[in-house]
Amino acid sequence: MPADSRNPEISVSDLLLYINCPRRVYFVSRGFELLPEINASRLERMLLKELSLNYPEIVKKCSLNADTLCKELESALNQACEDLPLMFPREFARIEEGILEEANARARAKIPEIAANLLRGLEEYGKDPMLAALTPVKTEPFLLSEKLNLKGVPSKLVCFEGMNVPSIIKPGNCPVQGVWASDRMHVTSLALLLEAEFGGEVPFAFVEYVSFGLLRKVVIRSSDRREVLKICRRVEKIKAGFMPEKTEEKFCTECTFSENCVSNPSLMSKFF
Ligand code: SF4
């Protein structure tokens, strides 16, 4: 089917929303705003993401010493704290006083663990491979596939073992081993986009769990590709107007759409 006769173009963020809850895709595609609360925990994640962008520089110039690594990370965090309000003025216009300080303190408390894990990674994988996996060759490139009817932006592309592969920055929790299923779907969708854009197979990708200083390599399997393609088709249907069944999701109590999200789809006509 030609791309222009298909459903509305979908983005990787739609796929992530679908994995969260299919109905959220429906609400967002109909103009409802997903407004996550700007609290200390969200600001902490934003700070840690900014901090992680400095990991390659820090790792490059630091001797393998926990103290110097911690000092460099602290100074980069201070800088991130100064820069963040300038980078996100709209978000900062609606935060309460003291929240940034609280977020800064929470992020600072993570530095010893980040430093210890970065050092462990350096010892285990070696400085050059670690730097290759951390250092962007492109930051937030826009990727588009007309064939997949999909667009997306990886946090960065890194050149590892002679190949450009996607890497995503995740400031949330980290599983004991491997990556979360949703992160696997996230990097797989970006690998498919990268293949569509530049050709050749993208056999792996990286997930950076930046709150812990951990870097995980993900081998992209055929079953991951199949799952992403399946989700793409479901998201297309939802964006074209199909309302998925409401399931009792663990996110419902904190969901922005809970007031409008009713079990009986016929009642939805009240809102649309
Ligand atoms: S209220 Fe629950 S089912 Fe409805 S959109 Fe939100 S998370 Fe999904």
Side-chain angles (χ1 to χ4, degrees):
M1 194 188 306
D4 54 8
S5 66
R6 291 166 70 167
N7 290 325
E9 190 178 73
I10 58 175
S11 67
V12 170
S13 59
D14 292 324
L15 309 187
L16 301 180
L17 213 52
Y18 179 95
I19 292 165
N20 226 229
C21 166
R23 271 206 176 182
R24 287 188 172 182
V25 178
Y26 187 89
F27 284 111
V28 171
S29 69
R30 260 131 198 91
F32 279 65
E33 242 189 302
L34 189 67
L35 284 175
E37 194 193 349
I38 312 271
N39 52 21
S41 154
R42 182 159 172 231
L43 277 184
E44 177 196 351
R45 291 199 298 273
M46 289 164 84
L47 279 174
L48 287 165
K49 182 177 174 188
E50 289 308 310
L51 174 65
S52 74
L53 299 176
N54 295 282
Y55 290 171
E57 274 309 304
I58 292 174
V59 166
K60 213 180 288 174
K61 72 180 172 190
C62 264
S63 60
L64 299 185
N65 169 314
D67 285 344
T68 43
L69 195 49
C70 279
K71 281 199 185 98
E72 291 287 343
L73 288 167
E74 276 173 14
S75 128
L77 182 62
N78 288 340
Q79 192 60 58
C81 226
E82 275 180 36
D83 293 348
L84 213 60
L86 303 173
M87 294 164 64
F88 301 96
R90 191 151 46 97
E91 284 82 352
F92 272 79
R94 57 191 171 100
I95 70 162
E96 288 167 26
E97 217 176 305
I99 300 271
L100 181 58
E101 289 70 22
E102 188 187 337
N104 185 17
R106 290 164 67 149
R108 194 166 298 274
K110 301 243 162 79
I111 285 183
E113 187 175 4
I114 293 172
N117 283 330
L118 282 175
L119 279 178
R120 204 167 295 131
L122 281 164
E123 279 163 19
E124 201 174 325
Y125 306 114
K127 192 167 180 173
D128 288 343
M130 185 89 170
L131 271 174
L134 287 174
T135 309
V137 290
K138 269 192 190 160
T139 304
E140 300 188 346
F142 176 76
L143 303 174
L144 170 74
S145 163
E146 285 188 16
K147 190 173 175 198
L148 293 170
N149 194 29
L150 182 67
K151 62 185 176 184
V153 179
S155 306
K156 52 189 170 181
L157 298 183
V158 297
C159 182
F160 194 82
E161 293 172 352
M163 256 176 283
N164 282 355
V165 298
S167 177
I168 56 170
I169 292 176
K170 292 284 170 171
N173 277 336
C174 170
V176 179
Q177 280 187 330
V179 300
W180 300 118
S182 57
D183 295 337
R184 176 173 281 285
M185 291 297 99
H186 192 170
V187 288
T188 302
S189 59
L190 293 167
L192 283 163
L193 281 175
L194 199 56
E195 288 170 355
E197 191 105 6
F198 299 107
E201 186 193 350
V202 175
F204 60 86
F206 288 99
V207 181
E208 270 188 52
Y209 290 106
V210 292
S211 311
F212 301 87
L214 288 171
L215 183 65
R216 300 260 164 92
K217 188 178 176 189
V218 185
V219 173
I220 313 279
R221 307 177 296 218
S222 297
S223 54
D224 303 327
R225 292 165 182 271
R226 184 185 301 118
E227 190 61 24
V228 166
L229 296 173
K230 196 166 81 184
I231 295 173
C232 283
R233 282 168 206 138
R234 287 184 180 163
V235 168
E236 276 184 339
K237 261 176 82 180
I238 294 171
K239 289 189 88 168
F242 170 75
M243 162 64 90
E245 282 297 314
K246 179 178 165 76
T247 47
E248 278 313 313
E249 299 288 341
K250 59 180 176 185
F251 309 107
C252 287
T253 47
E254 289 168 9
C255 178
T256 328
F257 311 126
S258 57
E259 276 185 23
N260 297 324
C261 187
V262 290
S263 298
N264 183 347
S266 63
L267 293 177
M268 296 304 291
S269 55
K270 269 179 36 183
F271 306 108
F272 301 106

PDB file of all heavy atoms in Angstrom, residues 116-129:
ATOM      1  N   ALA A 116      31.078   4.478  40.506  1.00  0.00           N
ATOM      2  CA  ALA A 116      31.533   3.095  40.727  1.00  0.00           C
ATOM      3  C   ALA A 116      31.204   2.228  39.505  1.00  0.00           C
ATOM      4  O   ALA A 116      32.032   1.424  39.047  1.00  0.00           O
ATOM      5  CB  ALA A 116      30.865   2.524  41.979  1.00  0.00           C
ATOM      6  N   ASN A 117      29.996   2.396  38.947  1.00  0.00           N
ATOM      7  CA  ASN A 117      29.607   1.569  37.792  1.00  0.00           C
ATOM      8  C   ASN A 117      30.358   1.957  36.525  1.00  0.00           C
ATOM      9  O   ASN A 117      30.692   1.101  35.705  1.00  0.00           O
ATOM     10  CB  ASN A 117      28.099   1.649  37.554  1.00  0.00           C
ATOM     11  CG  ASN A 117      27.342   0.798  38.557  1.00  0.00           C
ATOM     12  OD1 ASN A 117      27.855  -0.208  39.032  1.00  0.00           O
ATOM     13  ND2 ASN A 117      26.143   1.213  38.908  1.00  0.00           N
ATOM     14  N   LEU A 118      30.627   3.267  36.358  1.00  0.00           N
ATOM     15  CA  LEU A 118      31.420   3.681  35.193  1.00  0.00           C
ATOM     16  C   LEU A 118      32.818   3.070  35.283  1.00  0.00           C
ATOM     17  O   LEU A 118      33.359   2.561  34.301  1.00  0.00           O
ATOM     18  CB  LEU A 118      31.509   5.209  35.114  1.00  0.00           C
ATOM     19  CG  LEU A 118      30.279   5.957  34.567  1.00  0.00           C
ATOM     20  CD1 LEU A 118      30.479   7.468  34.664  1.00  0.00           C
ATOM     21  CD2 LEU A 118      29.967   5.560  33.131  1.00  0.00           C
ATOM     22  N   LEU A 119      33.387   3.109  36.485  1.00  0.00           N
ATOM     23  CA  LEU A 119      34.729   2.528  36.664  1.00  0.00           C
ATOM     24  C   LEU A 119      34.724   1.031  36.391  1.00  0.00           C
ATOM     25  O   LEU A 119      35.622   0.496  35.737  1.00  0.00           O
ATOM     26  CB  LEU A 119      35.215   2.779  38.091  1.00  0.00           C
ATOM     27  CG  LEU A 119      35.804   4.172  38.363  1.00  0.00           C
ATOM     28  CD1 LEU A 119      36.201   4.304  39.817  1.00  0.00           C
ATOM     29  CD2 LEU A 119      37.009   4.439  37.463  1.00  0.00           C
ATOM     30  N   ARG A 120      33.661   0.365  36.900  1.00  0.00           N
ATOM     31  CA  ARG A 120      33.557  -1.081  36.686  1.00  0.00           C
ATOM     32  C   ARG A 120      33.461  -1.378  35.183  1.00  0.00           C
ATOM     33  O   ARG A 120      34.100  -2.286  34.670  1.00  0.00           O
ATOM     34  CB  ARG A 120      32.320  -1.614  37.413  1.00  0.00           C
ATOM     35  CG  ARG A 120      32.419  -3.077  37.759  1.00  0.00           C
ATOM     36  CD  ARG A 120      31.342  -3.507  38.735  1.00  0.00           C
ATOM     37  NE  ARG A 120      31.486  -2.872  40.033  1.00  0.00           N
ATOM     38  CZ  ARG A 120      30.501  -2.255  40.701  1.00  0.00           C
ATOM     39  NH1 ARG A 120      29.298  -2.201  40.197  1.00  0.00           N
ATOM     40  NH2 ARG A 120      30.720  -1.712  41.875  1.00  0.00           N
ATOM     41  N   GLY A 121      32.667  -0.574  34.483  1.00  0.00           N
ATOM     42  CA  GLY A 121      32.516  -0.738  33.027  1.00  0.00           C
ATOM     43  C   GLY A 121      33.835  -0.535  32.314  1.00  0.00           C
ATOM     44  O   GLY A 121      34.192  -1.289  31.397  1.00  0.00           O
ATOM     45  N   LEU A 122      34.598   0.467  32.751  1.00  0.00           N
ATOM     46  CA  LEU A 122      35.899   0.751  32.125  1.00  0.00           C
ATOM     47  C   LEU A 122      36.861  -0.417  32.315  1.00  0.00           C
ATOM     48  O   LEU A 122      37.603  -0.785  31.400  1.00  0.00           O
ATOM     49  CB  LEU A 122      36.493   2.024  32.721  1.00  0.00           C
ATOM     50  CG  LEU A 122      35.912   3.335  32.189  1.00  0.00           C
ATOM     51  CD1 LEU A 122      36.267   4.506  33.103  1.00  0.00           C
ATOM     52  CD2 LEU A 122      36.413   3.598  30.779  1.00  0.00           C
ATOM     53  N   GLU A 123      36.823  -0.981  33.533  1.00  0.00           N
ATOM     54  CA  GLU A 123      37.713  -2.112  33.813  1.00  0.00           C
ATOM     55  C   GLU A 123      37.297  -3.343  33.014  1.00  0.00           C
ATOM     56  O   GLU A 123      38.122  -4.069  32.471  1.00  0.00           O
ATOM     57  CB  GLU A 123      37.687  -2.445  35.311  1.00  0.00           C
ATOM     58  CG  GLU A 123      38.601  -1.510  36.107  1.00  0.00           C
ATOM     59  CD  GLU A 123      38.289  -1.527  37.587  1.00  0.00           C
ATOM     60  OE1 GLU A 123      37.636  -2.483  38.052  1.00  0.00           O
ATOM     61  OE2 GLU A 123      38.697  -0.570  38.268  1.00  0.00           O
ATOM     62  N   GLU A 124      35.977  -3.551  32.918  1.00  0.00           N
ATOM     63  CA  GLU A 124      35.468  -4.761  32.270  1.00  0.00           C
ATOM     64  C   GLU A 124      35.615  -4.705  30.743  1.00  0.00           C
ATOM     65  O   GLU A 124      36.025  -5.668  30.112  1.00  0.00           O
ATOM     66  CB  GLU A 124      33.991  -4.917  32.646  1.00  0.00           C
ATOM     67  CG  GLU A 124      33.481  -6.329  32.492  1.00  0.00           C
ATOM     68  CD  GLU A 124      32.051  -6.457  33.016  1.00  0.00           C
ATOM     69  OE1 GLU A 124      31.690  -5.780  34.007  1.00  0.00           O
ATOM     70  OE2 GLU A 124      31.298  -7.231  32.391  1.00  0.00           O
ATOM     71  N   TYR A 125      35.259  -3.550  30.153  1.00  0.00           N
ATOM     72  CA  TYR A 125      35.235  -3.480  28.675  1.00  0.00           C
ATOM     73  C   TYR A 125      36.446  -2.786  28.077  1.00  0.00           C
ATOM     74  O   TYR A 125      36.708  -2.896  26.888  1.00  0.00           O
ATOM     75  CB  TYR A 125      33.961  -2.760  28.201  1.00  0.00           C
ATOM     76  CG  TYR A 125      32.696  -3.366  28.750  1.00  0.00           C
ATOM     77  CD1 TYR A 125      31.888  -2.664  29.639  1.00  0.00           C
ATOM     78  CD2 TYR A 125      32.324  -4.671  28.396  1.00  0.00           C
ATOM     79  CE1 TYR A 125      30.739  -3.239  30.167  1.00  0.00           C
ATOM     80  CE2 TYR A 125      31.172  -5.249  28.919  1.00  0.00           C
ATOM     81  CZ  TYR A 125      30.388  -4.523  29.806  1.00  0.00           C
ATOM     82  OH  TYR A 125      29.262  -5.094  30.323  1.00  0.00           O
ATOM     83  N   GLY A 126      37.173  -1.995  28.888  1.00  0.00           N
ATOM     84  CA  GLY A 126      38.302  -1.217  28.370  1.00  0.00           C
ATOM     85  C   GLY A 126      37.849   0.187  28.004  1.00  0.00           C
ATOM     86  O   GLY A 126      36.690   0.404  27.650  1.00  0.00           O
ATOM     87  N   LYS A 127      38.810   1.124  28.078  1.00  0.00           N
ATOM     88  CA  LYS A 127      38.453   2.530  27.882  1.00  0.00           C
ATOM     89  C   LYS A 127      37.959   2.809  26.452  1.00  0.00           C
ATOM     90  O   LYS A 127      36.943   3.493  26.267  1.00  0.00           O
ATOM     91  CB  LYS A 127      39.678   3.400  28.201  1.00  0.00           C
ATOM     92  CG  LYS A 127      39.362   4.872  28.312  1.00  0.00           C
ATOM     93  CD  LYS A 127      40.532   5.604  28.943  1.00  0.00           C
ATOM     94  CE  LYS A 127      40.245   7.079  29.065  1.00  0.00           C
ATOM     95  NZ  LYS A 127      41.255   7.797  29.808  1.00  0.00           N
ATOM     96  N   ASP A 128      38.665   2.274  25.446  1.00  0.00           N
ATOM     97  CA  ASP A 128      38.300   2.605  24.059  1.00  0.00           C
ATOM     98  C   ASP A 128      36.910   2.079  23.677  1.00  0.00           C
ATOM     99  O   ASP A 128      36.093   2.852  23.146  1.00  0.00           O
ATOM    100  CB  ASP A 128      39.368   2.106  23.072  1.00  0.00           C
ATOM    101  CG  ASP A 128      40.633   2.955  23.180  1.00  0.00           C
ATOM    102  OD1 ASP A 128      40.546   4.069  23.753  1.00  0.00           O
ATOM    103  OD2 ASP A 128      41.697   2.500  22.728  1.00  0.00           O
ATOM    104  N   PRO A 129      36.601   0.784  23.939  1.00  0.00           N
ATOM    105  CA  PRO A 129      35.241   0.324  23.609  1.00  0.00           C
ATOM    106  C   PRO A 129      34.161   1.087  24.379  1.00  0.00           C
ATOM    107  O   PRO A 129      33.114   1.411  23.845  1.00  0.00           O
ATOM    108  CB  PRO A 129      35.249  -1.153  24.016  1.00  0.00           C
ATOM    109  CG  PRO A 129      36.679  -1.544  24.040  1.00  0.00           C
ATOM    110  CD  PRO A 129      37.452  -0.320  24.409  1.00  0.00           C
TER     111      PRO A 129
END
